[in-house]
Amino acid sequence: LDRLGDRSKPAVDAMVLDLVMPDLDGMAVLERLNAMDDRPPVVVQTAHGSIEAVISAMRAGAVDFVVKPVGAERLSVSIKNALRVDALEGEVRRLAKRSSGALSFADLTSSSADMARAVRLGERAAKSGIPVLLEGESGVGKEVFARALQGASDRRGKAFVTVNCGAIPANLVESILFGHEKGAFTGATEKHAGKFVEANGGTLFLDEVSELPLDAQVKLLRAIQEGEVDPVGGKKTVKIDIRLVSATNRDLIEAVRQGRFREDLYYRLNVFPISIPPLRNRREDIPALARRFLARIAAEEGRSIRGISAEVMALLSRFDWPGNVRQLENAMFRAVILCEG
């Protein structure tokens, strides 16, 4: 139990728990586990086959039971079922927290030392309003990390607004970021608040910030410095209160050297840099991620798939995943669709 509560120790994927033990019995352990935010699935075992004890254990949160002496095949089935149920329940919890702005760093389960360092930095940054720059390859999960930053801060549950700076047409960047008045330009048939105003009181996540045009970078710098924005065609500024998190998959300082990114803006964004490791540097997390994706996608697609074979899991763990977590998720989606057994 002490190990489960210590994040510095490797995660426990599942627990086989005897109901009859000296000092602290199985039911007392289940009660202690229920008080934890991120407890593993539990398979209880009993030598007595007492239906009352099993019912009590299942009501207390156990996902399955076995009667001693239990065969290896029966125990293996119970553990696989427990992992599958836990993966689906965990994914549902994460999706619910994500949509409500309550995702936390505890939901970014990882056994990786590199990821643990990033999480520790994120937990420190979340306690203040300091601007954070997330660095990492495409697909490593920078947006999920940014959501965990918000969930660990005093802006938990407030607006979380994402802007993909690389996907905005150059002529609409200022309008989308800072808003515009009706009639400010051709096609502006209605007033638009802009992403900064939408995020007021919450968090603004600027993904691929290196792709912003230079003229928009000037306005972004002013918005950060002054805490206000100038809508296109507007006659007065609008005050804003946001937590700014930026992300890039490029070398920003190199972009500064090449004149593609303003140096003064770089230093405004790069106050608290956090590097998110690529998936090939955290291979120990691949099995848990694969199980999570399989559970959710199989449920969404109405497919009854028991799990991932040891041979396939070994293959997944060996691959370098140049597209990182996003590529693994897409691979699991394809596998679910193609799976015939």
Side-chain angles (χ1 to χ4, degrees):
L1 288 173
D2 290 338
R3 179 186 175 189
L4 286 172
D6 184 354
R7 282 195 197 169
S8 66
K9 301 290 179 64
V12 174
D13 293 320
M15 176 184 288
V16 179
L17 178 66
D18 206 311
L19 289 178
V20 180
M21 299 184 295
D23 301 325
L24 199 67
D25 66 11
M27 291 305 299
V29 171
L30 277 172
E31 290 176 10
R32 292 266 296 273
L33 287 172
N34 286 334
M36 297 180 178
D37 291 332
D38 189 24
R39 67 178 183 83
V42 177
V43 176
V44 295
Q45 64 173 5
T46 174
H48 309 294
S50 167
I51 190 65
E52 291 82 6
V54 167
I55 290 173
S56 297
M58 299 296 278
R59 284 176 175 168
V63 299
D64 201 359
F65 73 95
V66 294
V67 178
K68 296 188 294 186
V70 58
E73 185 175 348
R74 172 69 179 90
L75 184 59
S76 175
V77 169
S78 289
I79 291 173
K80 286 179 180 177
N81 287 340
L83 291 172
R84 188 169 76 250
V85 169
D86 184 64
L88 180 56
E89 289 180 347
E91 192 71 350
V92 169
R93 282 195 302 270
R94 274 182 285 271
L95 290 173
K97 287 184 175 182
R98 177 172 175 159
S99 64
S100 66
L103 194 77
S104 70
F105 285 111
D107 298 304
L108 307 185
T109 305
S110 175
S111 302
S112 159
D114 288 346
M115 193 64 177
R117 279 192 290 272
V119 166
R120 284 196 298 272
L121 287 172
E123 289 172 333
R124 292 183 183 180
K127 295 175 183 177
S128 74
I130 191 169
V132 172
L133 177 65
L134 302 179
E135 301 170 312
E137 297 175 7
S138 179
V140 294
K142 295 187 288 293
E143 182 180 342
V144 173
F145 198 96
R147 289 181 180 275
L149 263 172
Q150 168 167 300
S153 74
D154 57 4
R155 295 176 188 259
R156 177 186 175 95
K158 302 292 180 61
F160 183 95
V161 177
T162 297
V163 181
N164 186 336
C165 300
I168 308 175
N171 62 325
L172 294 178
V173 170
E174 290 186 23
S175 168
I176 288 173
L177 288 180
F178 311 117
H180 64 250
E181 294 294 326
K182 182 178 179 180
F185 52 86
T186 303
T189 56
E190 295 181 358
K191 180 179 179 179
H192 174 64
K195 297 297 184 179
F196 271 80
V197 174
E198 287 179 26
N200 195 32
T203 300
L204 179 65
F205 177 59
L206 298 179
D207 198 8
E208 296 187 33
V209 70
S210 62
E211 304 303 312
L212 279 178
L214 285 169
D215 53 350
Q217 292 178 29
V218 176
K219 282 204 167 187
L220 174 58
L221 180 63
R222 182 181 181 279
I224 297 170
Q225 288 175 331
E226 307 297 333
E228 58 188 28
V229 296
D230 294 308
V232 177
K235 296 180 180 178
K236 60 180 181 179
T237 61
V238 179
K239 285 287 183 183
I240 50 167
D241 169 30
I242 61 165
R243 168 66 181 273
L244 184 65
V245 181
S246 308
T248 180
N249 58 10
R250 298 178 183 270
D251 185 346
L252 266 189
I253 196 65
E254 182 59 30
V256 171
R257 292 192 190 101
Q258 294 174 3
R260 293 185 293 104
F261 202 82
R262 292 181 62 97
E263 185 175 13
D264 47 6
L265 178 58
Y266 169 77
Y267 287 114
R268 277 285 177 177
L269 300 179
N270 194 38
V271 181
F272 199 103
I274 300 177
S275 179
I276 312 299
L279 189 55
R280 62 183 174 277
N281 289 355
R282 44 180 292 217
R283 294 178 190 274
E284 56 268 56
D285 292 338
I286 290 175
L289 287 168
R291 284 196 295 265
R292 272 175 43 191
F293 295 144
L294 170 64
R296 172 171 55 80
I297 295 166
E300 290 172 349
E301 297 297 315
R303 303 295 304 276
S304 179
I305 300 174
R306 289 195 302 274
I308 303 170
S309 71
E311 293 82 3
V312 170
M313 193 65 87
L315 182 66
L316 295 176
S317 298
R318 285 197 305 268
F319 190 59
D320 277 346
W321 299 108
N324 294 296
V325 179
R326 186 184 298 127
Q327 185 185 8
L328 173 61
E329 182 177 10
N330 291 338
M332 294 310 301
F333 199 159
R334 182 172 183 271
V336 167
I337 299 303
L338 293 178
C339 182
E340 296 179 351

